[in-house]
Amino acid sequence: AIDFKTTMANAEFPSIFLNASGVNCMTVTEMDEMINAACTGGVVTKSATPQQREGNPQPRYYQLEHGSINSMGLPNEGFPYYLDYVTKEHAKPTILSVAGLKMSDNIELLHKIQASDYTGLTELNLSCPNVIGKPQVAYDFEETDALLAEIFSFYTKPLGVKLPPYFDLVHFDQMATILNKYPLTHINTVNSVGNGLWIDIDTEKVVIKPKQGFGGLGGTMILPTALANVRAFRQRLNPSIKIIGTGGVTSGADVFMHLLCGADMVSVGTALLHEGVGIFQRLTDELTTIMAEKGYTSIEDFRGKVQDF
Ligand SMILES: O=C1NC(=O)NC(C(=O)O)N1
């Protein structure tokens, strides 16, 4: 069997696979299920906001033929619930995802984690596209830079950021220049492709209620965008900043492509919601088959080695 173990900061993940924050991670039951499932590296919590949130009105999720559209609106049990969970002992590492609704929230949440007994990884979600009236922070380069500067003036525990997709090479340059200034453990890229729209032609209505049907896109249809973002940041970031590749993974071949682009770990959202935690054994088996066919005995044989034409 191939060794899929991965280390990020002070955490040793027994597998490269994680859930995308938001999927299979809202409650203790779901998070335990992720940790206890075969071939998972651990669990990423739902992004925690300072207080519990109901989220946006339903329907707020819809499965499309080639992916998904969602405008959940950060429903979650509240920061204390998730801090309590990750501070407990678990068989595999946890990543605590947090999402402030304004800059002072983010600072406050990280002060609380810094002061807590939690020593594991934290991921600052800078990219939720679905909080009504709120922008995706990571599309504001100045705000992101200022926020990270403030955070790293006091935060000394392992910290990564969840990024939205970018679509312009100059934006990759600008964002990487900012991120390289800070001792981040990782980036997680991509969050959903923000503010897509889908219509049911029978009813001539949009398919989700919030924001007149505008929602974040996930699944197969965003795989090319996800691969581009993983590769672009791998090419630009300090090697010390690891990459969790997220977006569009439904098969071992998709995982293989994320790894060729340089991902250190791979997380699954839409397909996990659709298939359940059994997907991780399937992805492991499919990736193992591909590697065997190519004579690879370790991910290091091909990680980041996508070739130009
Ligand atoms: O960061 C997020 N990305 C999404 O696609 N949806 C959720 C949400 O709406 O809660 N948050």
Side-chain angles (χ1 to χ4, degrees), residues 21-22 26 46-47 53 55-56 60 69-76 97 99 125-131 136 162 191-194 215-218:
S21 175
M26 189 74 76
K46 171 67 185 177
S47 293
R53 276 174 65 88
N56 291 340
R60 58 195 189 185
I69 184 167
N70 93 82
S71 182
M72 310 303 285
L74 288 177
N76 73 97
S97 176
N125 182 353
L126 298 176
S127 44
C128 178
N130 301 323
V131 178
Q136 290 160 265
K162 179 72 172 283
N191 205 319
S192 58
V193 172
L217 304 178

Side-chain angles (χ1 to χ4, degrees), residues 14-174:
S15 164
I16 59 170
F17 294 115
L18 293 166
N19 61 297
S21 175
V23 181
N24 222 102
C25 60
M26 189 74 76
T27 64
V28 169
T29 301
E30 289 184 339
M31 292 185 282
D32 282 348
E33 187 192 30
M34 262 306 295
I35 286 177
N36 297 329
C39 303
T40 62
V43 63
V44 183
T45 74
K46 171 67 185 177
S47 293
T49 53
Q51 277 81 37
Q52 181 175 20
R53 276 174 65 88
E54 287 305 305
N56 291 340
Q58 301 190 21
R60 58 195 189 185
Y61 181 89
Y62 188 85
Q63 188 89 25
L64 302 172
E65 189 180 355
H66 299 296
S68 65
I69 184 167
N70 93 82
S71 182
M72 310 303 285
L74 288 177
N76 73 97
E77 299 296 339
F79 175 71
Y81 180 97
Y82 299 100
L83 181 62
D84 178 66
Y85 181 84
V86 297
T87 306
K88 288 184 167 74
E89 278 301 305
H90 298 284
K92 298 173 185 174
T94 58
I95 299 180
L96 172 59
S97 176
V98 292
L101 300 173
K102 53 187 185 296
M103 186 151 161
S104 55
D105 277 358
N106 283 315
I107 302 298
E108 178 194 321
L109 289 170
L110 286 160
H111 269 300
K112 287 180 174 171
I113 301 168
Q114 179 68 25
S116 78
D117 295 335
Y118 180 56
T119 59
L121 280 79
T122 294
E123 193 171 280
L124 179 57
N125 182 353
L126 298 176
S127 44
C128 178
N130 301 323
V131 178
I132 294 165
K134 295 290 180 183
Q136 290 160 265
V137 174
Y139 283 154
D140 182 333
F141 296 125
E142 290 71 28
E143 173 153 354
T144 299
D145 196 357
L147 174 60
L148 292 175
E150 169 70 23
I151 288 168
F152 283 108
S153 72
F154 66 84
Y155 199 76
T156 61
K157 296 180 175 178
L159 180 68
V161 290
K162 179 72 172 283
L163 298 177
Y166 299 93
F167 302 93
D168 181 301
L169 296 194
V170 170
H171 291 168
F172 290 135
D173 295 338
Q174 291 171 333

